Amino acid sequence: MQQKETRWLYIFTIISLLSLSFYSPKAHANSNWLKYFKKDSLLNTYKTCYAVLGDALWTGTYGDGVVIKDGKSVKTFTNKNTRSTPALNDGLVSDYITCITFDEVRQRVWIGTNEGLCSCDYEGKEWTRHQEGKDLPNNIIRALAMDNAGNLWVGTPSGIALYNGESWKLFNETNGLLQGSIHSIKVKDNVVWVGTVGGSVSRYKDGQWQTVVGFD
């Protein structure tokens, strides 16, 4: 009996190996939920973040810029097609998107990338860039959030940059944060909650920082 089971296991293994030789490793499906991967590569279709404005879904991708879908049309913003001229490197700072948020008061879209921060109007025009050394403590943008006062909170591995529409202010370990390597930012009412890579959680309320969760 054991020899018979061993023989069938051997035959099944051989058939499985042969099937890998005859069939392509591409993904195929008769479903509305699945599509062919671009160039059969998961890398270029990897979605990093989502944001919703009205009926439009803004999707940040890892290498393909920002894709906007409203159910009727699809629009894409990339480093190349947002340049004012082909030779001028302006517009979207990078096609590797990390986070997106909306300033509905000023009608601007803020887009975080692995090479800095940029903003534009809802049509993808009038682009502005913000990068390390001038406005930001680090070009890697991990989190974005708008508070009720219209301030933009930008989380980076080197602290938080706070933008009030005119000037920037930096928060790190020297002025309130337990750790400067930011993982996430959430705003509830007039309170800003900040999570760090190390696991700490800080709260900014009434102009003061308080550590809610420290290091274990």
Side-chain angles (χ1 to χ4, degrees), residues 24-30 34-37 40-42:
S24 170
K26 299 178 181 179
H28 300 276
N30 292 323
L34 297 179
K35 296 181 180 180
Y36 298 126
F37 295 130
D40 298 313
S41 170
L42 185 60

Side-chain angles (χ1 to χ4, degrees), residues 62-74:
Y62 191 79
D64 286 334
V66 179
V67 180
I68 304 99
K69 299 180 180 180
D70 61 4
K72 299 178 181 179
S73 62
V74 178

